[in-house]
Amino acid sequence: MGKIFYLFGKSSTGKDTIYKNLMENKELGLRPVIPYTTRPMRAEETPGVEYHFTNEEELSRMEAVGKVIELRSYETVHGTWKYFTADGKHVDLDRFHYVMIGVLDSFVAIRKYYGEDKVVPVYIEVEDGERLQRALDRERSQEQPRYAEMCRRFLTDSADFGEERLLAARIGRRFYNKNLQECIEEITNYIREQMEV
């Protein structure tokens, strides 16, 4: 039986880099479950890789035909940005293992949709000062930095990933991304173990 390994954590914890590394690991053979977003694409992103970039009209069409599994809206300094997972019919857990990225609320919704035995949490943490510096460095590299949105996201993470919410979602295991390569190795070994369970 296949599983979905769900990567999540606060902003700037290295989720995208870890995700890319896991996808490139041919031994693991993970397939992507790519979420959708209505937010603008960042300079380093590619459509259909990190996200399917879409708009409100397309989201409304997908909702009307029942293709949206979970949906989150964020009020940003640039307007409302939405993130969602759609149409689980392309996921074949009888044959394959998958990996996806999201936030705590989407993890809970995906686990409810597919079943607790099929969705494995991979929660990534980074010390807040280091995380803030990473976020700032990333924004500086953008053609049009969005510093206010970066600050909003950083502050919102404290509530969204509060310890009581993590405990309510039964998140026990943590992966600390102080050293990227060590963190990737730890997560890779964990995924190998979980594939055998």
PDB file of all heavy atoms in Angstrom, residues 154-188:
ATOM      1  N   PHE A 154       5.348  35.453   8.766  1.00  0.00           N
ATOM      2  CA  PHE A 154       6.164  35.046   9.909  1.00  0.00           C
ATOM      3  C   PHE A 154       5.343  35.088  11.201  1.00  0.00           C
ATOM      4  O   PHE A 154       5.368  34.146  11.995  1.00  0.00           O
ATOM      5  CB  PHE A 154       7.390  35.953  10.023  1.00  0.00           C
ATOM      6  CG  PHE A 154       8.342  35.537  11.102  1.00  0.00           C
ATOM      7  CD1 PHE A 154       9.321  34.589  10.858  1.00  0.00           C
ATOM      8  CD2 PHE A 154       8.258  36.093  12.368  1.00  0.00           C
ATOM      9  CE1 PHE A 154      10.203  34.194  11.857  1.00  0.00           C
ATOM     10  CE2 PHE A 154       9.133  35.709  13.370  1.00  0.00           C
ATOM     11  CZ  PHE A 154      10.113  34.755  13.115  1.00  0.00           C
ATOM     12  N   LEU A 155       4.601  36.165  11.405  1.00  0.00           N
ATOM     13  CA  LEU A 155       3.797  36.306  12.621  1.00  0.00           C
ATOM     14  C   LEU A 155       2.626  35.329  12.640  1.00  0.00           C
ATOM     15  O   LEU A 155       2.297  34.746  13.687  1.00  0.00           O
ATOM     16  CB  LEU A 155       3.303  37.746  12.762  1.00  0.00           C
ATOM     17  CG  LEU A 155       4.399  38.786  12.983  1.00  0.00           C
ATOM     18  CD1 LEU A 155       3.832  40.187  12.902  1.00  0.00           C
ATOM     19  CD2 LEU A 155       5.113  38.550  14.310  1.00  0.00           C
ATOM     20  N   THR A 156       1.995  35.115  11.497  1.00  0.00           N
ATOM     21  CA  THR A 156       0.855  34.201  11.413  1.00  0.00           C
ATOM     22  C   THR A 156       1.264  32.770  11.739  1.00  0.00           C
ATOM     23  O   THR A 156       0.500  32.008  12.332  1.00  0.00           O
ATOM     24  CB  THR A 156       0.218  34.267  10.007  1.00  0.00           C
ATOM     25  OG1 THR A 156      -0.227  35.602   9.780  1.00  0.00           O
ATOM     26  CG2 THR A 156      -0.957  33.324   9.871  1.00  0.00           C
ATOM     27  N   ASP A 157       2.489  32.403  11.359  1.00  0.00           N
ATOM     28  CA  ASP A 157       2.977  31.047  11.627  1.00  0.00           C
ATOM     29  C   ASP A 157       2.930  30.684  13.107  1.00  0.00           C
ATOM     30  O   ASP A 157       2.707  29.522  13.456  1.00  0.00           O
ATOM     31  CB  ASP A 157       4.414  30.887  11.126  1.00  0.00           C
ATOM     32  CG  ASP A 157       4.497  30.658   9.631  1.00  0.00           C
ATOM     33  OD1 ASP A 157       3.461  30.326   9.020  1.00  0.00           O
ATOM     34  OD2 ASP A 157       5.602  30.810   9.077  1.00  0.00           O
ATOM     35  N   SER A 158       3.158  31.662  13.982  1.00  0.00           N
ATOM     36  CA  SER A 158       3.149  31.381  15.422  1.00  0.00           C
ATOM     37  C   SER A 158       1.806  30.826  15.870  1.00  0.00           C
ATOM     38  O   SER A 158       1.750  29.916  16.699  1.00  0.00           O
ATOM     39  CB  SER A 158       3.476  32.649  16.214  1.00  0.00           C
ATOM     40  OG  SER A 158       4.795  33.050  15.944  1.00  0.00           O
ATOM     41  N   ALA A 159       0.720  31.368  15.324  1.00  0.00           N
ATOM     42  CA  ALA A 159      -0.611  30.856  15.664  1.00  0.00           C
ATOM     43  C   ALA A 159      -0.928  29.584  14.893  1.00  0.00           C
ATOM     44  O   ALA A 159      -1.419  28.602  15.457  1.00  0.00           O
ATOM     45  CB  ALA A 159      -1.665  31.924  15.377  1.00  0.00           C
ATOM     46  N   ASP A 160      -0.630  29.577  13.593  1.00  0.00           N
ATOM     47  CA  ASP A 160      -0.977  28.431  12.752  1.00  0.00           C
ATOM     48  C   ASP A 160      -0.269  27.154  13.176  1.00  0.00           C
ATOM     49  O   ASP A 160      -0.793  26.056  12.999  1.00  0.00           O
ATOM     50  CB  ASP A 160      -0.647  28.725  11.287  1.00  0.00           C
ATOM     51  CG  ASP A 160      -1.575  29.757  10.673  1.00  0.00           C
ATOM     52  OD1 ASP A 160      -2.598  30.101  11.298  1.00  0.00           O
ATOM     53  OD2 ASP A 160      -1.273  30.227   9.560  1.00  0.00           O
ATOM     54  N   PHE A 161       0.967  27.286  13.699  1.00  0.00           N
ATOM     55  CA  PHE A 161       1.746  26.119  14.110  1.00  0.00           C
ATOM     56  C   PHE A 161       2.001  26.116  15.608  1.00  0.00           C
ATOM     57  O   PHE A 161       3.026  25.619  16.068  1.00  0.00           O
ATOM     58  CB  PHE A 161       3.077  26.084  13.354  1.00  0.00           C
ATOM     59  CG  PHE A 161       2.922  25.805  11.888  1.00  0.00           C
ATOM     60  CD1 PHE A 161       2.856  26.854  10.976  1.00  0.00           C
ATOM     61  CD2 PHE A 161       2.830  24.517  11.408  1.00  0.00           C
ATOM     62  CE1 PHE A 161       2.713  26.613   9.624  1.00  0.00           C
ATOM     63  CE2 PHE A 161       2.682  24.257  10.061  1.00  0.00           C
ATOM     64  CZ  PHE A 161       2.622  25.305   9.166  1.00  0.00           C
ATOM     65  N   GLY A 162       1.033  26.660  16.367  1.00  0.00           N
ATOM     66  CA  GLY A 162       1.151  26.650  17.821  1.00  0.00           C
ATOM     67  C   GLY A 162       1.226  25.218  18.343  1.00  0.00           C
ATOM     68  O   GLY A 162       0.674  24.292  17.750  1.00  0.00           O
ATOM     69  N   GLU A 163       1.921  25.058  19.453  1.00  0.00           N
ATOM     70  CA  GLU A 163       2.131  23.714  20.010  1.00  0.00           C
ATOM     71  C   GLU A 163       0.826  22.975  20.291  1.00  0.00           C
ATOM     72  O   GLU A 163       0.712  21.780  20.028  1.00  0.00           O
ATOM     73  CB  GLU A 163       2.978  23.815  21.288  1.00  0.00           C
ATOM     74  CG  GLU A 163       3.524  22.496  21.760  1.00  0.00           C
ATOM     75  CD  GLU A 163       4.445  21.806  20.750  1.00  0.00           C
ATOM     76  OE1 GLU A 163       5.140  22.498  19.982  1.00  0.00           O
ATOM     77  OE2 GLU A 163       4.455  20.562  20.725  1.00  0.00           O
ATOM     78  N   GLU A 164      -0.183  23.696  20.777  1.00  0.00           N
ATOM     79  CA  GLU A 164      -1.470  23.037  21.057  1.00  0.00           C
ATOM     80  C   GLU A 164      -2.124  22.524  19.777  1.00  0.00           C
ATOM     81  O   GLU A 164      -2.749  21.458  19.764  1.00  0.00           O
ATOM     82  CB  GLU A 164      -2.424  23.975  21.822  1.00  0.00           C
ATOM     83  CG  GLU A 164      -2.873  25.228  21.087  1.00  0.00           C
ATOM     84  CD  GLU A 164      -1.814  26.325  20.941  1.00  0.00           C
ATOM     85  OE1 GLU A 164      -0.791  26.305  21.645  1.00  0.00           O
ATOM     86  OE2 GLU A 164      -2.030  27.213  20.081  1.00  0.00           O
ATOM     87  N   ARG A 165      -1.963  23.247  18.674  1.00  0.00           N
ATOM     88  CA  ARG A 165      -2.528  22.792  17.389  1.00  0.00           C
ATOM     89  C   ARG A 165      -1.769  21.576  16.868  1.00  0.00           C
ATOM     90  O   ARG A 165      -2.358  20.660  16.314  1.00  0.00           O
ATOM     91  CB  ARG A 165      -2.491  23.920  16.361  1.00  0.00           C
ATOM     92  CG  ARG A 165      -3.359  25.111  16.773  1.00  0.00           C
ATOM     93  CD  ARG A 165      -3.607  26.061  15.624  1.00  0.00           C
ATOM     94  NE  ARG A 165      -4.611  25.452  14.751  1.00  0.00           N
ATOM     95  CZ  ARG A 165      -4.529  25.403  13.429  1.00  0.00           C
ATOM     96  NH1 ARG A 165      -3.498  25.928  12.804  1.00  0.00           N
ATOM     97  NH2 ARG A 165      -5.471  24.838  12.718  1.00  0.00           N
ATOM     98  N   LEU A 166      -0.447  21.567  17.040  1.00  0.00           N
ATOM     99  CA  LEU A 166       0.343  20.413  16.617  1.00  0.00           C
ATOM    100  C   LEU A 166      -0.030  19.177  17.426  1.00  0.00           C
ATOM    101  O   LEU A 166      -0.178  18.079  16.873  1.00  0.00           O
ATOM    102  CB  LEU A 166       1.835  20.708  16.749  1.00  0.00           C
ATOM    103  CG  LEU A 166       2.392  21.763  15.797  1.00  0.00           C
ATOM    104  CD1 LEU A 166       3.809  22.158  16.204  1.00  0.00           C
ATOM    105  CD2 LEU A 166       2.360  21.275  14.355  1.00  0.00           C
ATOM    106  N   LEU A 167      -0.207  19.356  18.720  1.00  0.00           N
ATOM    107  CA  LEU A 167      -0.596  18.224  19.571  1.00  0.00           C
ATOM    108  C   LEU A 167      -1.993  17.725  19.219  1.00  0.00           C
ATOM    109  O   LEU A 167      -2.242  16.512  19.172  1.00  0.00           O
ATOM    110  CB  LEU A 167      -0.526  18.619  21.049  1.00  0.00           C
ATOM    111  CG  LEU A 167       0.885  18.864  21.591  1.00  0.00           C
ATOM    112  CD1 LEU A 167       0.833  19.420  23.006  1.00  0.00           C
ATOM    113  CD2 LEU A 167       1.721  17.591  21.532  1.00  0.00           C
ATOM    114  N   ALA A 168      -2.918  18.645  18.930  1.00  0.00           N
ATOM    115  CA  ALA A 168      -4.285  18.243  18.550  1.00  0.00           C
ATOM    116  C   ALA A 168      -4.285  17.452  17.243  1.00  0.00           C
ATOM    117  O   ALA A 168      -5.117  16.559  17.048  1.00  0.00           O
ATOM    118  CB  ALA A 168      -5.178  19.483  18.418  1.00  0.00           C
ATOM    119  N   ALA A 169      -3.334  17.747  16.363  1.00  0.00           N
ATOM    120  CA  ALA A 169      -3.224  17.023  15.091  1.00  0.00           C
ATOM    121  C   ALA A 169      -2.365  15.757  15.240  1.00  0.00           C
ATOM    122  O   ALA A 169      -2.098  15.074  14.267  1.00  0.00           O
ATOM    123  CB  ALA A 169      -2.640  17.924  14.013  1.00  0.00           C
ATOM    124  N   ARG A 170      -1.930  15.482  16.465  1.00  0.00           N
ATOM    125  CA  ARG A 170      -1.121  14.307  16.774  1.00  0.00           C
ATOM    126  C   ARG A 170       0.220  14.295  16.020  1.00  0.00           C
ATOM    127  O   ARG A 170       0.622  13.270  15.475  1.00  0.00           O
ATOM    128  CB  ARG A 170      -1.905  13.013  16.546  1.00  0.00           C
ATOM    129  CG  ARG A 170      -3.151  12.925  17.423  1.00  0.00           C
ATOM    130  CD  ARG A 170      -3.962  11.675  17.231  1.00  0.00           C
ATOM    131  NE  ARG A 170      -4.317  11.342  15.865  1.00  0.00           N
ATOM    132  CZ  ARG A 170      -5.276  11.924  15.151  1.00  0.00           C
ATOM    133  NH1 ARG A 170      -5.973  12.909  15.680  1.00  0.00           N
ATOM    134  NH2 ARG A 170      -5.554  11.532  13.925  1.00  0.00           N
ATOM    135  N   ILE A 171       0.878  15.460  16.018  1.00  0.00           N
ATOM    136  CA  ILE A 171       2.199  15.573  15.405  1.00  0.00           C
ATOM    137  C   ILE A 171       3.232  15.395  16.509  1.00  0.00           C
ATOM    138  O   ILE A 171       3.367  16.245  17.379  1.00  0.00           O
ATOM    139  CB  ILE A 171       2.402  16.947  14.712  1.00  0.00           C
ATOM    140  CG1 ILE A 171       1.272  17.222  13.716  1.00  0.00           C
ATOM    141  CG2 ILE A 171       3.776  17.008  14.059  1.00  0.00           C
ATOM    142  CD1 ILE A 171       1.094  16.180  12.639  1.00  0.00           C
ATOM    143  N   GLY A 172       3.921  14.286  16.482  1.00  0.00           N
ATOM    144  CA  GLY A 172       4.930  14.009  17.496  1.00  0.00           C
ATOM    145  C   GLY A 172       6.332  14.184  16.954  1.00  0.00           C
ATOM    146  O   GLY A 172       7.116  14.979  17.457  1.00  0.00           O
ATOM    147  N   ARG A 173       6.643  13.476  15.907  1.00  0.00           N
ATOM    148  CA  ARG A 173       7.998  13.490  15.336  1.00  0.00           C
ATOM    149  C   ARG A 173       8.284  14.843  14.686  1.00  0.00           C
ATOM    150  O   ARG A 173       7.459  15.363  13.947  1.00  0.00           O
ATOM    151  CB  ARG A 173       8.099  12.374  14.297  1.00  0.00           C
ATOM    152  CG  ARG A 173       9.431  12.252  13.594  1.00  0.00           C
ATOM    153  CD  ARG A 173      10.421  11.467  14.422  1.00  0.00           C
ATOM    154  NE  ARG A 173      11.735  11.429  13.823  1.00  0.00           N
ATOM    155  CZ  ARG A 173      12.249  10.387  13.200  1.00  0.00           C
ATOM    156  NH1 ARG A 173      11.538   9.287  13.075  1.00  0.00           N
ATOM    157  NH2 ARG A 173      13.467  10.431  12.716  1.00  0.00           N
ATOM    158  N   ARG A 174       9.481  15.389  14.966  1.00  0.00           N
ATOM    159  CA  ARG A 174       9.902  16.666  14.398  1.00  0.00           C
ATOM    160  C   ARG A 174      11.237  16.451  13.685  1.00  0.00           C
ATOM    161  O   ARG A 174      12.064  15.667  14.132  1.00  0.00           O
ATOM    162  CB  ARG A 174      10.102  17.738  15.469  1.00  0.00           C
ATOM    163  CG  ARG A 174       8.998  17.818  16.543  1.00  0.00           C
ATOM    164  CD  ARG A 174       7.731  18.429  16.026  1.00  0.00           C
ATOM    165  NE  ARG A 174       6.651  18.343  16.991  1.00  0.00           N
ATOM    166  CZ  ARG A 174       6.300  19.325  17.805  1.00  0.00           C
ATOM    167  NH1 ARG A 174       6.941  20.466  17.805  1.00  0.00           N
ATOM    168  NH2 ARG A 174       5.283  19.161  18.631  1.00  0.00           N
ATOM    169  N   PHE A 175      11.435  17.182  12.609  1.00  0.00           N
ATOM    170  CA  PHE A 175      12.700  17.152  11.891  1.00  0.00           C
ATOM    171  C   PHE A 175      13.273  18.558  11.930  1.00  0.00           C
ATOM    172  O   PHE A 175      12.674  19.483  11.390  1.00  0.00           O
ATOM    173  CB  PHE A 175      12.488  16.681  10.443  1.00  0.00           C
ATOM    174  CG  PHE A 175      11.980  15.269  10.371  1.00  0.00           C
ATOM    175  CD1 PHE A 175      10.611  15.021  10.351  1.00  0.00           C
ATOM    176  CD2 PHE A 175      12.851  14.191  10.350  1.00  0.00           C
ATOM    177  CE1 PHE A 175      10.126  13.720  10.309  1.00  0.00           C
ATOM    178  CE2 PHE A 175      12.373  12.882  10.304  1.00  0.00           C
ATOM    179  CZ  PHE A 175      11.010  12.647  10.279  1.00  0.00           C
ATOM    180  N   TYR A 176      14.436  18.730  12.603  1.00  0.00           N
ATOM    181  CA  TYR A 176      15.030  20.046  12.800  1.00  0.00           C
ATOM    182  C   TYR A 176      16.022  20.329  11.669  1.00  0.00           C
ATOM    183  O   TYR A 176      17.012  19.619  11.513  1.00  0.00           O
ATOM    184  CB  TYR A 176      15.706  20.116  14.173  1.00  0.00           C
ATOM    185  CG  TYR A 176      14.697  19.976  15.282  1.00  0.00           C
ATOM    186  CD1 TYR A 176      14.436  18.727  15.843  1.00  0.00           C
ATOM    187  CD2 TYR A 176      13.961  21.068  15.736  1.00  0.00           C
ATOM    188  CE1 TYR A 176      13.480  18.577  16.837  1.00  0.00           C
ATOM    189  CE2 TYR A 176      13.010  20.931  16.724  1.00  0.00           C
ATOM    190  CZ  TYR A 176      12.775  19.673  17.276  1.00  0.00           C
ATOM    191  OH  TYR A 176      11.824  19.540  18.253  1.00  0.00           O
ATOM    192  N   ASN A 177      15.752  21.365  10.898  1.00  0.00           N
ATOM    193  CA  ASN A 177      16.574  21.707   9.749  1.00  0.00           C
ATOM    194  C   ASN A 177      17.635  22.735  10.127  1.00  0.00           C
ATOM    195  O   ASN A 177      17.621  23.864   9.655  1.00  0.00           O
ATOM    196  CB  ASN A 177      15.712  22.205   8.589  1.00  0.00           C
ATOM    197  CG  ASN A 177      16.520  22.447   7.331  1.00  0.00           C
ATOM    198  OD1 ASN A 177      17.683  22.094   7.245  1.00  0.00           O
ATOM    199  ND2 ASN A 177      15.883  23.065   6.350  1.00  0.00           N
ATOM    200  N   LYS A 178      18.551  22.332  10.991  1.00  0.00           N
ATOM    201  CA  LYS A 178      19.692  23.199  11.315  1.00  0.00           C
ATOM    202  C   LYS A 178      20.774  22.996  10.263  1.00  0.00           C
ATOM    203  O   LYS A 178      21.405  23.933   9.809  1.00  0.00           O
ATOM    204  CB  LYS A 178      20.220  22.872  12.708  1.00  0.00           C
ATOM    205  CG  LYS A 178      21.311  23.797  13.171  1.00  0.00           C
ATOM    206  CD  LYS A 178      21.669  23.579  14.617  1.00  0.00           C
ATOM    207  CE  LYS A 178      22.701  24.620  15.047  1.00  0.00           C
ATOM    208  NZ  LYS A 178      23.066  24.477  16.445  1.00  0.00           N
ATOM    209  N   ASN A 179      20.982  21.737   9.867  1.00  0.00           N
ATOM    210  CA  ASN A 179      21.908  21.384   8.800  1.00  0.00           C
ATOM    211  C   ASN A 179      21.093  20.693   7.719  1.00  0.00           C
ATOM    212  O   ASN A 179      20.539  19.610   7.939  1.00  0.00           O
ATOM    213  CB  ASN A 179      23.008  20.457   9.327  1.00  0.00           C
ATOM    214  CG  ASN A 179      23.955  20.008   8.242  1.00  0.00           C
ATOM    215  OD1 ASN A 179      23.577  19.258   7.334  1.00  0.00           O
ATOM    216  ND2 ASN A 179      25.193  20.460   8.331  1.00  0.00           N
ATOM    217  N   LEU A 180      20.994  21.325   6.550  1.00  0.00           N
ATOM    218  CA  LEU A 180      20.101  20.843   5.498  1.00  0.00           C
ATOM    219  C   LEU A 180      20.383  19.397   5.115  1.00  0.00           C
ATOM    220  O   LEU A 180      19.461  18.582   5.034  1.00  0.00           O
ATOM    221  CB  LEU A 180      20.175  21.753   4.272  1.00  0.00           C
ATOM    222  CG  LEU A 180      19.277  21.346   3.105  1.00  0.00           C
ATOM    223  CD1 LEU A 180      17.804  21.362   3.501  1.00  0.00           C
ATOM    224  CD2 LEU A 180      19.521  22.259   1.904  1.00  0.00           C
ATOM    225  N   GLN A 181      21.647  19.046   4.853  1.00  0.00           N
ATOM    226  CA  GLN A 181      21.951  17.684   4.403  1.00  0.00           C
ATOM    227  C   GLN A 181      21.602  16.647   5.461  1.00  0.00           C
ATOM    228  O   GLN A 181      21.069  15.584   5.152  1.00  0.00           O
ATOM    229  CB  GLN A 181      23.419  17.561   3.990  1.00  0.00           C
ATOM    230  CG  GLN A 181      23.698  18.058   2.588  1.00  0.00           C
ATOM    231  CD  GLN A 181      22.708  17.542   1.545  1.00  0.00           C
ATOM    232  OE1 GLN A 181      21.988  18.325   0.921  1.00  0.00           O
ATOM    233  NE2 GLN A 181      22.633  16.241   1.352  1.00  0.00           N
ATOM    234  N   GLU A 182      21.892  16.952   6.716  1.00  0.00           N
ATOM    235  CA  GLU A 182      21.557  16.021   7.800  1.00  0.00           C
ATOM    236  C   GLU A 182      20.045  15.857   7.917  1.00  0.00           C
ATOM    237  O   GLU A 182      19.542  14.749   8.136  1.00  0.00           O
ATOM    238  CB  GLU A 182      22.148  16.499   9.121  1.00  0.00           C
ATOM    239  CG  GLU A 182      23.652  16.360   9.183  1.00  0.00           C
ATOM    240  CD  GLU A 182      24.251  16.904  10.471  1.00  0.00           C
ATOM    241  OE1 GLU A 182      23.474  17.258  11.400  1.00  0.00           O
ATOM    242  OE2 GLU A 182      25.486  16.994  10.549  1.00  0.00           O
ATOM    243  N   CYS A 183      19.321  16.948   7.766  1.00  0.00           N
ATOM    244  CA  CYS A 183      17.853  16.898   7.842  1.00  0.00           C
ATOM    245  C   CYS A 183      17.293  16.054   6.696  1.00  0.00           C
ATOM    246  O   CYS A 183      16.408  15.222   6.906  1.00  0.00           O
ATOM    247  CB  CYS A 183      17.287  18.310   7.819  1.00  0.00           C
ATOM    248  SG  CYS A 183      15.498  18.386   8.052  1.00  0.00           S
ATOM    249  N   ILE A 184      17.819  16.255   5.497  1.00  0.00           N
ATOM    250  CA  ILE A 184      17.355  15.477   4.341  1.00  0.00           C
ATOM    251  C   ILE A 184      17.623  13.984   4.565  1.00  0.00           C
ATOM    252  O   ILE A 184      16.762  13.143   4.295  1.00  0.00           O
ATOM    253  CB  ILE A 184      18.034  15.976   3.046  1.00  0.00           C
ATOM    254  CG1 ILE A 184      17.460  17.340   2.659  1.00  0.00           C
ATOM    255  CG2 ILE A 184      17.838  14.968   1.902  1.00  0.00           C
ATOM    256  CD1 ILE A 184      18.219  18.038   1.537  1.00  0.00           C
ATOM    257  N   GLU A 185      18.801  13.642   5.074  1.00  0.00           N
ATOM    258  CA  GLU A 185      19.133  12.234   5.348  1.00  0.00           C
ATOM    259  C   GLU A 185      18.193  11.639   6.378  1.00  0.00           C
ATOM    260  O   GLU A 185      17.724  10.504   6.225  1.00  0.00           O
ATOM    261  CB  GLU A 185      20.585  12.119   5.822  1.00  0.00           C
ATOM    262  CG  GLU A 185      21.602  12.311   4.721  1.00  0.00           C
ATOM    263  CD  GLU A 185      23.035  12.295   5.243  1.00  0.00           C
ATOM    264  OE1 GLU A 185      23.281  11.661   6.300  1.00  0.00           O
ATOM    265  OE2 GLU A 185      23.890  12.919   4.608  1.00  0.00           O
ATOM    266  N   GLU A 186      17.904  12.404   7.444  1.00  0.00           N
ATOM    267  CA  GLU A 186      17.001  11.913   8.491  1.00  0.00           C
ATOM    268  C   GLU A 186      15.598  11.669   7.927  1.00  0.00           C
ATOM    269  O   GLU A 186      14.969  10.643   8.197  1.00  0.00           O
ATOM    270  CB  GLU A 186      16.950  12.923   9.642  1.00  0.00           C
ATOM    271  CG  GLU A 186      16.151  12.427  10.823  1.00  0.00           C
ATOM    272  CD  GLU A 186      16.075  13.438  11.956  1.00  0.00           C
ATOM    273  OE1 GLU A 186      16.635  14.553  11.833  1.00  0.00           O
ATOM    274  OE2 GLU A 186      15.432  13.113  12.969  1.00  0.00           O
ATOM    275  N   ILE A 187      15.100  12.609   7.134  1.00  0.00           N
ATOM    276  CA  ILE A 187      13.768  12.459   6.540  1.00  0.00           C
ATOM    277  C   ILE A 187      13.747  11.298   5.552  1.00  0.00           C
ATOM    278  O   ILE A 187      12.796  10.497   5.527  1.00  0.00           O
ATOM    279  CB  ILE A 187      13.324  13.777   5.874  1.00  0.00           C
ATOM    280  CG1 ILE A 187      13.049  14.831   6.947  1.00  0.00           C
ATOM    281  CG2 ILE A 187      12.088  13.555   5.005  1.00  0.00           C
ATOM    282  CD1 ILE A 187      12.828  16.232   6.418  1.00  0.00           C
ATOM    283  N   THR A 188      14.793  11.169   4.749  1.00  0.00           N
ATOM    284  CA  THR A 188      14.873  10.069   3.777  1.00  0.00           C
ATOM    285  C   THR A 188      14.826   8.723   4.485  1.00  0.00           C
ATOM    286  O   THR A 188      14.090   7.811   4.068  1.00  0.00           O
ATOM    287  CB  THR A 188      16.156  10.198   2.927  1.00  0.00           C
ATOM    288  OG1 THR A 188      16.120  11.448   2.227  1.00  0.00           O
ATOM    289  CG2 THR A 188      16.271   9.062   1.920  1.00  0.00           C
TER     290      THR A 188
END
